[in-house]
Amino acid sequence: MNVLKLVCVTLITLVSTSVLAIDPALSLKNLERERAALINDLLSPSLMLQERLNLLNKRQQHLTDMERMVMRDERLLNSDSTIVMRAFNEYETTFLVHAGAEKSLSAAQQWLDQVNFNNEAILNARVGFRK
């Protein structure tokens, strides 16, 4: 049984190592998916207020960990990929939790601030169809 466990662990290690070697931006792509999920929860009309707040808190906790992983990922620092360059050049929208913490904002508030979505914009909005 121990031999079987050893073989399984070895195979898992080899597969995960080869996946990371193929795509050095994998941690960044995972961060982007989690960030998109946070924005989706923020804008979802089907969620009640308390449900939305609970989901946003969970997403923010996940984002905090994922942002730290991306910032510490040495493969990204040595990468010249456009996705990596863009992510670090657009720090305020890529790292919502950390950029928001610098301004004492939540990740959701940071995103809303970055897309210029505030009370004034809502009050000035018009209902209608675009041509």
Side-chain angles (χ1 to χ4, degrees):
M1 195 58 134
N2 287 336
V3 173
L4 181 60
K5 283 183 182 180
L6 181 62
V7 169
C8 288
V9 169
T10 304
L11 285 175
I12 290 171
T13 303
L14 289 174
V15 169
S16 63
T17 304
S18 64
V19 167
L20 291 175
I22 293 170
D23 190 359
L26 187 62
S27 61
L28 182 59
K29 290 177 181 178
N30 288 335
L31 172 64
E32 289 180 351
R33 276 191 285 282
E34 190 65 29
R35 187 181 64 221
L38 177 127
I39 294 168
N40 184 54
D41 291 343
L42 176 66
L43 301 176
S44 175
S46 64
L47 295 174
M48 301 303 289
L49 178 62
Q50 194 57 44
E51 199 177 8
R52 183 184 323 275
L53 291 174
N54 290 339
L55 280 172
L56 291 176
N57 283 335
K58 286 181 186 177
R59 296 277 187 207
Q60 184 161 326
Q61 290 172 354
H62 289 136
L63 272 174
T64 303
D65 294 337
M66 294 181 91
E67 286 180 9
R68 287 180 184 148
M69 288 170 44
V70 168
M71 287 182 199
R72 294 176 181 156
D73 191 343
E74 301 228 355
R75 293 169 299 145
L76 296 176
L77 297 176
N78 300 325
S79 175
D80 59 351
S81 166
T82 55
I83 188 173
V84 174
M85 301 283 235
R86 182 175 174 211
F88 283 99
N89 287 337
E90 297 175 7
Y91 173 83
E92 289 80 15
T93 53
T94 303
F95 302 100
L96 293 175
V97 175
H98 286 79
E102 292 171 4
K103 299 177 186 174
S104 299
L105 300 173
S106 70
Q109 291 169 319
Q110 172 66 18
W111 182 79
L112 291 170
D113 187 50
Q114 287 303 302
V115 296
N116 201 23
F117 195 73
N118 55 30
N119 288 342
E120 185 178 332
I122 294 169
L123 293 174
N124 290 333
R126 294 184 184 173
V127 176
F129 294 101
R130 291 187 181 192
K131 294 182 181 182

